[in-house]
Amino acid sequence: MPTRRGLEQAIISNGRIVNVVSKSYGHIPNDLFFKQAEQLLHDAELSFETRSINREDRSFVMDIIIKDANQFTVKHEADAILPMLRFKNSYDGSERTSGHFGFYRKICNNGLHVAQSEIDFAIKHNKNNTTLILPKLNHLFQKFLDNEFYSIVDKFNRMKSVKIMDTEAFVKAVLEEHKLFRYECSDTNDNPSKRSRMVIDIIDHESLLLQESPNLWLGYNAFNEVLHNTLKRSFSQQERLDRRLFDTVLNMAT
């Protein structure tokens, strides 16, 4: 079919057209991006596992969870945390092709996006080919360990040391700060809303599971779980909100 200038290429994902772009657009296929990211781990001879999310064949993430216990595991007694690399891509322009460090909490499968270290890479494309150039993983990890890893883990411990005396009051205070959703059921019903009750129940459940009193660390992770699994936000919005939630709860520990 004829096309107008600037709309010469159709991007097809799983048999569907998800975007129409110009012939000069540097489209990065998932096969190229995610496979090359995985190859970094193979080259560094690190043990890892991956998980991926596909949203309507348009936006995608792949989390690479590092399982090298000798170098990178952080243990909070029964609550183990592993470093994680998240790579994002989109076919409709909704997400910037990017990568960053984070953490993976094994007990609840949560991804914690509180690290600020971005993964720099170059994308070179011409009329017939697109090339992705990723840096060496060993250098990336050393930079992350030197700049952020241990300081963030110290913040995790500070949050864990502060008990939550009133779980409902804690949830209400966080929601007053961020307006993620309404705390009350309605104007005439002051009881916790469905999502507020979800946060409260997660805190209570993990407290029993770990055999410890509710604390700010469990409170932050409960909000994180609802944010990523229940609220409809883009990947980038979830990550920004995650960092804001983390800072808010951390401030309660001072």
Side-chain angles (χ1 to χ4, degrees), residues 4 12 21 37 41 63 86 107 112 117 183 208 233 236:
R4 74 172 176 82
I12 299 173
V21 297
L41 278 293
D63 292 333
R86 165 163 285 197
I107 196 169
L112 313 180
S117 294
Y183 175 79
L208 289 172
R233 301 288 193 277
S236 296

Side-chain angles (χ1 to χ4, degrees), residues 1-252:
M1 296 177 65
T3 63
R4 74 172 176 82
R5 186 175 180 181
L7 296 176
E8 296 90 356
Q9 287 192 92
I11 297 179
I12 299 173
S13 180
N14 284 334
R16 295 195 295 168
I17 295 177
V18 295
N19 202 2
V20 183
V21 297
S22 71
K23 59 185 177 182
S24 62
Y25 182 81
H27 173 55
I28 304 294
N30 288 335
D31 283 350
L32 171 68
F33 185 40
F34 293 148
K35 285 184 179 179
Q36 191 161 333
E38 280 191 78
Q39 189 61 47
L40 287 178
L41 278 293
H42 288 296
D43 293 344
E45 299 182 345
L46 288 172
S47 176
F48 67 94
E49 62 183 40
T50 63
R51 63 175 187 173
S52 59
I53 304 172
N54 176 344
R55 289 187 175 165
E56 298 181 339
D57 297 324
R58 299 182 301 152
S59 58
F60 318 87
V61 296
M62 182 179 71
D63 292 333
I64 299 179
I65 301 154
I66 310 301
K67 299 195 298 180
D68 191 327
N70 293 327
Q71 298 186 55
F72 304 118
T73 303
V74 180
K75 289 186 177 180
H76 296 242
E77 297 175 1
D79 197 357
I81 297 177
L82 300 171
M84 179 183 77
L85 292 86
R86 165 163 285 197
F87 292 91
K88 289 184 297 184
N89 195 23
S90 70
Y91 287 178
D92 64 351
S94 61
E95 297 282 353
R96 180 174 64 91
T97 300
S98 60
H100 69 265
F101 278 94
F103 295 87
Y104 176 75
R105 186 169 178 246
K106 294 180 70 174
I107 196 169
C108 61
N109 298 324
N110 273 5
L112 313 180
H113 304 281
V114 295
Q116 301 293 324
S117 294
E118 295 283 330
I119 299 169
D120 295 324
F121 50 84
I123 300 172
K124 296 183 178 181
H125 58 87
N126 54 39
K127 185 176 181 180
N128 300 315
N129 188 36
T130 300
T131 304
L132 182 67
I133 303 173
L134 286 167
K136 294 294 184 181
L137 190 65
N138 291 337
H139 172 71
L140 285 176
F141 263 116
Q142 192 58 52
K143 181 180 177 182
F144 178 52
L145 290 172
D146 290 345
N147 294 339
E148 283 196 87
F149 185 81
Y150 295 108
S151 64
I152 292 177
V153 170
D154 180 64
K155 293 175 183 177
F156 292 167
N157 287 320
R158 284 163 52 193
M159 294 165 76
K160 189 176 181 181
S161 69
V162 179
K163 294 181 180 180
I164 296 176
M165 307 308 296
D166 185 331
T167 305
E168 292 189 6
F170 163 77
V171 173
K172 189 172 184 178
V174 173
L175 291 175
E176 286 176 352
E177 178 78 17
H178 290 294
K179 314 296 183 186
L180 283 175
F181 46 85
R182 184 170 182 158
Y183 175 79
E184 301 87 357
C185 286
S186 67
D187 290 340
T188 58
N189 186 347
D190 291 336
N191 289 323
S193 63
K194 181 179 179 180
R195 287 172 175 168
S196 298
R197 177 53 58 189
M198 288 176 64
V199 176
I200 294 167
D201 289 346
I202 292 169
I203 295 172
D204 292 342
H205 172 72
E206 291 196 358
S207 178
L208 289 172
L209 188 65
L210 295 170
Q211 297 182 339
E212 60 187 31
S213 300
N215 55 61
L216 294 181
W217 168 249
L218 299 183
Y220 158 67
N221 278 280
F223 270 106
N224 177 281
E225 185 169 337
V226 173
L227 169 62
H228 288 276
N229 296 332
T230 303
L231 301 185
K232 293 183 178 179
R233 301 288 193 277
S234 70
F235 296 124
S236 296
Q237 288 173 330
Q238 288 175 334
E239 290 156 15
R240 287 194 295 270
L241 288 169
D242 189 357
R243 293 186 181 107
R244 289 172 54 196
L245 281 169
F246 182 79
D247 289 340
T248 294
V249 178
L250 180 64
N251 286 336
M252 295 179 177

